[in-house]
Amino acid sequence: KTSTNVLSLEKKSVSHNASSSPQFRFALLHYVTVGFCVSLSEVEELRRRIFDDIARFMGADPKTMKQQIIEWPILKTSSIDQSLDSARQVVTQKFGLLPAKVIVIGSDVVPYFGPLERALIETPVLVGGQSYLLIPSFSELMRSAQRKRELMALLNGWF
């Protein structure tokens, strides 16, 4: 396995024009010992079982989970600032509320949370008091039993 810089895998273009409004949908899951940020499509439902299993593996009780969905833009027609900079501020604020270990699933989260820009795929990166593990694709993870086994092996060495 080779580590890959996340920016090289980011295919979705994100405008750096402050007046443009990006679009994304992230699920934030907060367990006591681990947090998740999962990139979802507009219609995709969160399949919670895998996250409960991972949280259990990392010593958390799935009953303690708190969930929040962040959708951007906040409203389709609004005078609220919904620029890329505002989106980054909101996502950064939400990440700050997650536990010390955060698993980020979806490389398209990277443009909205600066600390992930120096992350390598599947290599934890420590930023302040939080450690982030980036998994590039939720759909790939869900389709492959081998990818799930690899993730569990990674997690075993992480905590």
Side-chain angles (χ1 to χ4, degrees):
K1 179 186 92 155
T2 60
S3 292
T4 306
N5 188 289
V6 101
L7 291 177
S8 66
L9 290 181
E10 179 53 41
K11 294 176 188 152
K12 194 178 205 179
S13 91
V14 175
S15 170
H16 293 283
N17 179 349
S19 66
S20 67
S21 184
Q23 290 189 302
F24 59 82
R25 185 168 173 250
F26 301 149
L28 298 175
L29 308 174
H30 187 298
Y31 296 84
V32 174
T33 59
V34 65
F36 295 88
C37 177
V38 184
S39 177
L40 299 169
S41 70
E42 276 186 51
V43 296
E44 189 173 14
E45 292 298 318
L46 187 67
R47 292 180 259 172
R48 204 179 129 184
R49 182 176 175 201
I50 188 167
F51 303 108
D52 286 351
D53 290 346
I54 293 169
R56 219 179 271 110
F57 179 79
M58 295 187 73
D61 179 354
K63 294 177 195 157
T64 66
M65 193 274 288
K66 296 176 188 159
Q67 175 181 328
Q68 180 178 16
I69 301 289
I70 303 173
E71 294 186 69
W72 207 268
I74 298 168
L75 300 170
K76 298 294 181 200
T77 56
S78 174
S79 60
I80 298 171
D81 182 5
Q82 298 184 90
S83 66
L84 178 59
D85 288 341
S86 291
R88 287 177 175 156
Q89 288 175 4
V90 168
V91 171
T92 298
Q93 177 189 35
K94 300 297 182 182
F95 263 77
L97 301 174
L98 291 172
K101 293 186 188 242
V102 180
I103 299 170
V104 179
I105 301 179
S107 61
D108 56 334
V109 175
V110 174
Y112 304 105
F113 187 61
L116 293 176
E117 290 177 354
R118 23 180 241 243
L120 299 176
I121 299 298
E122 298 176 355
T123 303
V125 62
L126 183 63
V127 178
Q130 287 180 308
S131 180
Y132 304 103
L133 179 64
L134 181 62
I135 307 301
S137 168
F138 181 62
S139 59
E140 178 186 325
L141 178 65
M142 293 308 296
R143 281 193 307 262
S144 168
Q146 177 63 28
R147 293 292 293 133
K148 290 175 193 166
R149 284 191 294 275
E150 289 169 0
L151 174 60
M152 296 312 265
L154 253 167
L155 295 177
N156 195 35
W158 190 25
F159 68 99

Coordinates of all heavy atoms in Angstrom, one line a residue, residues 52-122:
D52 N -21.4 2.2 13.8 CA -21.6 1.6 15.1 C -20.6 0.5 15.4 O -20.0 0.4 16.5 CB -23.0 1.0 15.3 CG -24.1 2.1 15.4 OD1 -23.7 3.3 15.6 OD2 -25.2 1.7 15.4
D53 N -20.3 -0.3 14.4 CA -19.3 -1.4 14.5 C -17.9 -0.9 14.8 O -17.2 -1.3 15.6 CB -19.3 -2.3 13.3 CG -20.6 -3.2 13.2 OD1 -21.3 -3.3 14.2 OD2 -20.8 -3.7 12.1
I54 N -17.5 0.2 14.0 CA -16.2 0.8 14.2 C -16.1 1.4 15.5 O -15.1 1.3 16.2 CB -15.9 1.8 13.0 CG1 -15.8 1.0 11.7 CG2 -14.7 2.6 13.4 CD1 -15.8 2.0 10.5
A55 N -17.2 2.1 15.9 CA -17.1 2.8 17.2 C -17.0 1.8 18.4 O -16.2 2.0 19.3 CB -18.4 3.6 17.4
R56 N -17.7 0.7 18.2 CA -17.6 -0.4 19.2 C -16.2 -0.9 19.3 O -15.7 -1.1 20.4 CB -18.6 -1.5 18.8 CG -19.3 -2.2 20.0 CD -20.3 -3.2 19.5 NE -21.6 -2.7 19.3 CZ -22.2 -2.6 18.1 NH1 -21.6 -3.0 17.0 NH2 -23.4 -2.1 17.9
F57 N -15.6 -1.1 18.1 CA -14.2 -1.6 18.0 C -13.3 -0.6 18.7 O -12.3 -1.1 19.3 CB -13.8 -1.8 16.6 CG -12.4 -2.2 16.3 CD1 -12.1 -3.6 16.5 CD2 -11.4 -1.4 16.0 CE1 -10.8 -4.0 16.3 CE2 -10.1 -1.8 15.7 CZ -9.8 -3.1 15.9
M58 N -13.6 0.7 18.7 CA -12.7 1.7 19.3 C -13.2 2.0 20.7 O -12.8 3.0 21.3 CB -12.7 2.9 18.4 CG -12.0 2.6 17.1 SD -11.7 4.0 16.0 CE -10.4 4.8 16.9
G59 N -14.0 1.2 21.3 CA -14.4 1.3 22.7 C -15.5 2.2 23.0 O -15.8 2.6 24.2
A60 N -16.3 2.6 22.0 CA -17.5 3.5 22.3 C -18.8 2.7 22.3 O -18.9 1.6 21.7 CB -17.6 4.5 21.2
D61 N -19.7 3.2 23.0 CA -21.1 2.6 23.0 C -21.9 3.3 22.0 O -22.1 4.5 22.0 CB -21.7 2.8 24.4 CG -23.1 2.3 24.5 OD1 -23.7 1.8 23.5 OD2 -23.6 2.3 25.7
P62 N -22.4 2.5 21.0 CA -23.2 3.1 19.9 C -24.4 3.9 20.4 O -24.9 4.8 19.7 CB -23.6 1.9 19.0 CG -22.6 0.9 19.3 CD -22.2 1.1 20.7
K63 N -24.9 3.6 21.6 CA -26.1 4.4 22.1 C -25.7 5.8 22.4 O -26.6 6.6 22.5 CB -26.6 3.7 23.3 CG -27.2 2.3 23.1 CD -27.6 1.7 24.3 CE -27.9 0.2 24.1 NZ -27.8 -0.6 25.3
T64 N -24.4 6.1 22.5 CA -24.0 7.5 22.9 C -23.9 8.4 21.6 O -23.6 9.6 21.8 CB -22.6 7.5 23.6 OG1 -21.6 7.0 22.6 CG2 -22.6 6.6 24.8
M65 N -24.1 7.8 20.4 CA -23.9 8.6 19.2 C -24.9 9.8 19.1 O -26.0 9.6 19.3 CB -24.0 7.7 18.0 CG -23.5 8.2 16.7 SD -24.7 9.3 15.8 CE -25.8 8.0 15.2
K66 N -24.3 10.9 18.7 CA -25.1 12.1 18.3 C -24.7 12.4 16.8 O -23.6 12.3 16.4 CB -24.7 13.3 19.1 CG -25.0 13.1 20.6 CD -24.5 14.2 21.4 CE -24.6 13.9 22.9 NZ -23.8 14.7 23.7
Q67 N -25.8 12.7 16.1 CA -25.6 12.9 14.6 C -26.0 14.2 14.2 O -27.0 14.8 14.7 CB -26.4 11.8 13.9 CG -26.4 12.0 12.4 CD -27.2 10.9 11.7 OE1 -27.4 9.8 12.1 NE2 -27.8 11.3 10.6
Q68 N -25.3 14.8 13.2 CA -25.7 16.0 12.6 C -25.4 16.0 11.1 O -24.4 15.5 10.7 CB -25.0 17.2 13.2 CG -25.4 18.5 12.6 CD -24.6 19.7 13.3 OE1 -23.6 19.6 14.0 NE2 -25.1 20.9 13.0
I69 N -26.3 16.5 10.3 CA -26.1 16.5 8.8 C -25.9 18.0 8.5 O -26.6 18.9 8.9 CB -27.4 16.0 8.0 CG1 -27.7 14.6 8.4 CG2 -27.1 16.2 6.5 CD1 -26.7 13.5 7.9
I70 N -24.8 18.3 7.8 CA -24.5 19.6 7.3 C -24.7 19.6 5.8 O -24.1 18.9 5.1 CB -23.0 20.0 7.6 CG1 -22.7 19.9 9.0 CG2 -22.8 21.4 7.0 CD1 -21.2 20.2 9.3
E71 N -25.7 20.4 5.4 CA -26.0 20.6 3.9 C -25.6 22.0 3.5 O -25.9 22.9 4.2 CB -27.4 20.3 3.6 CG -27.8 18.9 3.9 CD -29.2 18.5 3.5 OE1 -29.5 18.5 2.3 OE2 -30.0 18.3 4.4
W72 N -24.9 22.1 2.4 CA -24.5 23.4 1.9 C -24.9 23.5 0.4 O -24.6 22.5 -0.3 CB -23.0 23.6 2.0 CG -22.6 25.0 2.1 CD1 -22.2 25.8 1.1 CD2 -22.5 25.8 3.3 NE1 -21.9 27.1 1.6 CE2 -22.1 27.1 3.0 CE3 -22.8 25.5 4.7 CZ2 -21.9 28.1 3.9 CZ3 -22.6 26.5 5.6 CH2 -22.2 27.8 5.2
P73 N -25.5 24.5 -0.1 CA -25.8 25.7 0.7 C -26.9 25.5 1.7 O -27.7 24.5 1.6 CB -26.3 26.7 -0.3 CG -26.7 25.9 -1.5 CD -25.9 24.7 -1.5
I74 N -26.9 26.3 2.8 CA -27.9 26.2 3.8 C -29.3 26.3 3.3 O -30.2 25.5 3.6 CB -27.6 27.2 5.0 CG1 -26.2 27.0 5.6 CG2 -28.7 27.1 6.0 CD1 -25.8 28.1 6.5
L75 N -29.5 27.4 2.5 CA -30.8 27.6 1.9 C -30.5 27.9 0.4 O -29.5 28.5 0.1 CB -31.5 28.8 2.5 CG -31.9 28.6 4.0 CD1 -32.4 29.9 4.6 CD2 -32.9 27.5 4.2
K76 N -31.4 27.6 -0.5 CA -31.2 27.8 -1.9 C -31.3 29.3 -2.2 O -30.5 29.8 -3.0 CB -32.2 27.0 -2.7 CG -32.1 25.6 -2.6 CD -30.8 25.0 -3.1 CE -30.8 23.5 -3.0 NZ -29.5 23.0 -3.0
T77 N -32.2 30.0 -1.6 CA -32.3 31.5 -1.8 C -32.2 32.1 -0.5 O -33.1 32.1 0.3 CB -33.7 31.8 -2.5 OG1 -34.7 31.3 -1.7 CG2 -33.7 31.2 -3.9
S78 N -31.1 32.8 -0.3 CA -30.8 33.4 1.0 C -29.9 34.5 0.9 O -29.0 34.5 0.0 CB -30.3 32.3 2.0 OG -30.0 32.9 3.2
S79 N -30.0 35.4 1.8 CA -29.0 36.5 1.9 C -27.9 36.2 2.8 O -26.9 37.0 3.0 CB -29.7 37.8 2.3 OG -30.2 37.6 3.6
I80 N -27.9 35.0 3.4 CA -26.8 34.5 4.2 C -25.6 34.2 3.4 O -25.7 33.7 2.3 CB -27.3 33.2 5.0 CG1 -28.5 33.5 5.9 CG2 -26.1 32.6 5.8 CD1 -29.1 32.3 6.5
D81 N -24.4 34.6 3.9 CA -23.1 34.3 3.2 C -22.9 32.8 3.1 O -22.8 32.1 4.1 CB -22.0 35.0 4.0 CG -20.6 34.7 3.3 OD1 -20.6 34.2 2.2 OD2 -19.6 35.1 3.9
Q82 N -23.0 32.3 1.9 CA -22.8 30.8 1.7 C -21.6 30.5 0.8 O -21.6 29.6 0.1 CB -24.1 30.3 1.1 CG -25.3 30.4 2.1 CD -26.5 29.8 1.6 OE1 -26.8 28.6 1.9 NE2 -27.3 30.5 0.9
S83 N -20.6 31.4 0.9 CA -19.4 31.3 0.1 C -18.5 30.1 0.6 O -18.8 29.5 1.6 CB -18.6 32.6 0.2 OG -18.1 32.7 1.5
L84 N -17.5 29.8 -0.2 CA -16.6 28.8 0.1 C -15.9 29.1 1.5 O -15.8 28.2 2.3 CB -15.5 28.7 -0.9 CG -14.4 27.7 -0.7 CD1 -14.9 26.3 -0.5 CD2 -13.4 27.7 -1.9
D85 N -15.6 30.3 1.7 CA -15.0 30.7 3.0 C -15.9 30.5 4.2 O -15.5 29.9 5.2 CB -14.5 32.2 3.0 CG -13.3 32.4 2.2 OD1 -12.6 31.4 1.9 OD2 -13.0 33.6 1.8
S86 N -17.2 30.8 4.0 CA -18.2 30.5 5.1 C -18.4 29.0 5.3 O -18.5 28.6 6.4 CB -19.5 31.2 4.7 OG -19.4 32.6 4.7
A87 N -18.4 28.3 4.2 CA -18.5 26.8 4.3 C -17.4 26.3 5.1 O -17.6 25.4 6.0 CB -18.6 26.2 3.0
R88 N -16.2 26.7 4.8 CA -15.0 26.3 5.5 C -15.1 26.6 7.0 O -14.7 25.8 7.9 CB -13.7 26.9 4.9 CG -13.4 26.3 3.6 CD -12.1 27.0 3.0 NE -11.7 26.3 1.8 CZ -11.0 26.9 0.9 NH1 -10.7 28.2 1.0 NH2 -10.7 26.2 -0.2
Q89 N -15.5 27.8 7.3 CA -15.7 28.2 8.7 C -16.6 27.3 9.5 O -16.4 26.9 10.6 CB -16.1 29.6 8.8 CG -15.1 30.6 8.5 CD -15.6 32.1 8.4 OE1 -16.7 32.3 8.8 NE2 -14.7 33.0 8.0
V90 N -17.8 27.0 8.9 CA -18.8 26.1 9.5 C -18.2 24.7 9.7 O -18.3 24.2 10.8 CB -20.1 26.1 8.7 CG1 -21.0 25.0 9.2 CG2 -20.8 27.5 8.8
V91 N -17.6 24.2 8.7 CA -17.1 22.8 8.8 C -16.0 22.7 9.8 O -16.0 21.8 10.6 CB -16.6 22.3 7.4 CG1 -15.9 21.0 7.5 CG2 -17.8 22.1 6.4
T92 N -15.1 23.7 9.8 CA -14.0 23.8 10.8 C -14.6 23.8 12.2 O -14.1 23.1 13.1 CB -13.1 25.0 10.5 OG1 -12.5 24.8 9.2 CG2 -12.0 25.0 11.6
Q93 N -15.6 24.6 12.4 CA -16.2 24.7 13.7 C -16.8 23.4 14.2 O -16.7 23.0 15.3 CB -17.3 25.8 13.7 CG -18.1 25.9 15.0 CD -19.3 26.8 14.9 OE1 -20.0 26.9 13.9 NE2 -19.6 27.6 16.0
K94 N -17.5 22.7 13.2 CA -18.1 21.4 13.5 C -17.1 20.4 13.9 O -17.3 19.5 14.7 CB -19.0 21.0 12.4 CG -20.2 21.9 12.1 CD -21.1 22.1 13.3 CE -22.3 23.0 12.9 NZ -23.2 23.2 14.0
F95 N -16.0 20.4 13.1 CA -14.9 19.4 13.4 C -14.4 19.6 14.8 O -14.0 18.6 15.5 CB -13.8 19.5 12.4 CG -13.9 18.6 11.2 CD1 -14.8 18.7 10.2 CD2 -13.0 17.4 11.2 CE1 -14.9 17.8 9.1 CE2 -13.1 16.5 10.1 CZ -14.0 16.7 9.1
G96 N -14.3 20.8 15.2 CA -13.8 21.1 16.6 C -14.6 20.5 17.7 O -14.1 20.3 18.8
L97 N -15.8 20.2 17.4 CA -16.7 19.6 18.4 C -16.7 18.1 18.4 O -17.2 17.4 19.3 CB -18.2 20.0 18.1 CG -18.4 21.5 18.1 CD1 -19.9 21.8 17.7 CD2 -18.1 22.1 19.5
L98 N -15.9 17.5 17.5 CA -15.8 16.0 17.4 C -14.7 15.5 18.4 O -13.9 16.3 18.9 CB -15.5 15.6 16.0 CG -16.6 15.8 15.0 CD1 -16.1 15.5 13.6 CD2 -17.8 14.9 15.3
P99 N -14.7 14.2 18.7 CA -13.7 13.7 19.7 C -12.3 13.8 19.1 O -12.1 14.2 18.0 CB -14.2 12.2 19.8 CG -15.5 12.1 19.3 CD -15.7 13.2 18.3
A100 N -11.4 13.3 19.9 CA -9.9 13.4 19.6 C -9.6 12.6 18.4 O -8.6 12.9 17.7 CB -9.1 12.9 20.8
K101 N -10.3 11.5 18.1 CA -10.0 10.7 16.9 C -11.2 10.9 15.9 O -12.4 10.6 16.3 CB -9.8 9.3 17.2 CG -8.5 9.1 18.0 CD -8.2 7.7 18.2 CE -7.0 7.6 19.2 NZ -5.8 7.0 18.7
V102 N -10.9 11.2 14.7 CA -12.0 11.5 13.7 C -11.6 10.7 12.4 O -10.5 10.9 11.9 CB -12.1 13.0 13.4 CG1 -13.3 13.2 12.4 CG2 -12.4 13.8 14.7
I103 N -12.6 9.9 12.0 CA -12.4 9.2 10.7 C -13.2 10.0 9.7 O -14.4 10.2 9.8 CB -12.9 7.8 10.8 CG1 -12.1 7.0 11.8 CG2 -12.9 7.1 9.4 CD1 -12.6 5.6 12.2
V104 N -12.5 10.5 8.6 CA -13.2 11.2 7.6 C -13.3 10.3 6.4 O -12.3 9.8 5.9 CB -12.3 12.5 7.2 CG1 -13.0 13.3 6.1 CG2 -12.1 13.3 8.4
I105 N -14.6 10.1 5.9 CA -14.8 9.2 4.8 C -15.3 10.1 3.6 O -16.4 10.6 3.6 CB -15.8 8.1 5.2 CG1 -15.2 7.3 6.3 CG2 -16.1 7.2 4.0 CD1 -16.1 6.2 6.9
G106 N -14.5 10.2 2.6 CA -14.8 10.9 1.4 C -13.7 12.0 1.2 O -13.7 13.0 1.9
S107 N -12.9 11.9 0.1 CA -11.9 12.9 -0.1 C -12.4 14.3 -0.5 O -11.7 15.3 -0.4 CB -10.9 12.4 -1.2 OG -11.6 12.2 -2.4
D108 N -13.7 14.3 -0.8 CA -14.3 15.6 -1.2 C -14.6 16.5 0.1 O -15.0 17.7 -0.1 CB -15.6 15.5 -2.0 CG -16.6 14.6 -1.4 OD1 -16.3 13.7 -0.6 OD2 -17.8 14.8 -1.8
V109 N -14.3 16.0 1.3 CA -14.4 16.8 2.5 C -13.1 17.7 2.6 O -13.2 18.8 3.2 CB -14.4 15.9 3.8 CG1 -14.4 16.7 5.0 CG2 -15.7 15.0 3.7
V110 N -12.0 17.3 2.0 CA -10.7 18.0 2.1 C -10.8 19.5 1.9 O -10.3 20.3 2.7 CB -9.7 17.3 1.3 CG1 -8.4 18.1 1.3 CG2 -9.4 15.9 1.8
P111 N -11.4 20.0 0.8 CA -11.4 21.4 0.5 C -12.1 22.3 1.6 O -11.9 23.5 1.6 CB -12.1 21.6 -0.8 CG -12.1 20.2 -1.5 CD -12.0 19.3 -0.3
Y112 N -12.9 21.7 2.4 CA -13.7 22.4 3.4 C -13.1 22.4 4.8 O -13.6 23.0 5.7 CB -15.1 21.9 3.4 CG -15.7 21.9 2.1 CD1 -15.9 20.8 1.3 CD2 -16.1 23.2 1.5 CE1 -16.4 20.9 0.0 CE2 -16.6 23.2 0.2 CZ -16.8 22.1 -0.5 OH -17.3 22.1 -1.8
F113 N -12.0 21.6 5.0 CA -11.3 21.5 6.3 C -9.8 21.5 6.0 O -9.3 20.4 5.7 CB -11.8 20.3 7.0 CG -11.3 20.2 8.4 CD1 -11.6 21.2 9.3 CD2 -10.5 19.2 8.9 CE1 -11.1 21.2 10.7 CE2 -10.1 19.1 10.2 CZ -10.4 20.1 11.1
G114 N -9.2 22.6 6.2 CA -7.8 22.8 5.9 C -6.8 21.8 6.4 O -5.9 21.4 5.7
P115 N -7.0 21.4 7.7 CA -6.0 20.4 8.2 C -5.9 19.1 7.4 O -4.9 18.4 7.4 CB -6.5 20.1 9.7 CG -7.2 21.4 10.0 CD -7.8 21.9 8.8
L116 N -6.9 18.8 6.7 CA -6.9 17.5 5.9 C -6.0 17.7 4.7 O -5.7 16.7 4.0 CB -8.3 17.1 5.5 CG -9.2 16.6 6.6 CD1 -10.6 16.3 6.1 CD2 -8.6 15.4 7.4
E117 N -5.7 18.9 4.3 CA -4.9 19.1 3.1 C -3.5 18.5 3.1 O -2.9 18.2 2.1 CB -4.8 20.6 2.7 CG -6.2 21.1 2.2 CD -6.2 22.6 2.0 OE1 -5.2 23.3 2.2 OE2 -7.2 23.1 1.5
R118 N -3.0 18.3 4.4 CA -1.7 17.7 4.5 C -1.8 16.2 4.9 O -0.8 15.5 5.1 CB -0.8 18.4 5.5 CG -1.4 19.2 6.5 CD -0.3 19.8 7.4 NE -0.5 19.3 8.7 CZ -0.8 20.1 9.8 NH1 -0.8 21.4 9.6 NH2 -0.9 19.6 11.0
A119 N -3.1 15.7 4.9 CA -3.3 14.3 5.2 C -2.9 13.4 4.1 O -3.0 13.8 2.9 CB -4.7 14.1 5.6
L120 N -2.4 12.3 4.4 CA -2.2 11.2 3.4 C -3.3 10.2 3.6 O -3.8 10.0 4.7 CB -0.8 10.5 3.7 CG 0.4 11.4 3.6 CD1 1.7 10.7 3.9 CD2 0.5 12.0 2.2
I121 N -3.7 9.6 2.5 CA -4.8 8.6 2.5 C -4.4 7.5 3.5 O -3.3 6.9 3.4 CB -5.0 8.1 1.1 CG1 -5.5 9.2 0.2 CG2 -6.1 6.9 1.1 CD1 -6.7 9.9 0.5
E122 N -5.3 7.2 4.4 CA -5.2 6.1 5.3 C -3.9 6.2 6.2 O -3.4 5.1 6.6 CB -5.2 4.7 4.6 CG -6.6 4.6 3.9 CD -6.7 3.3 3.1 OE1 -5.7 2.6 2.9 OE2 -7.8 3.1 2.6

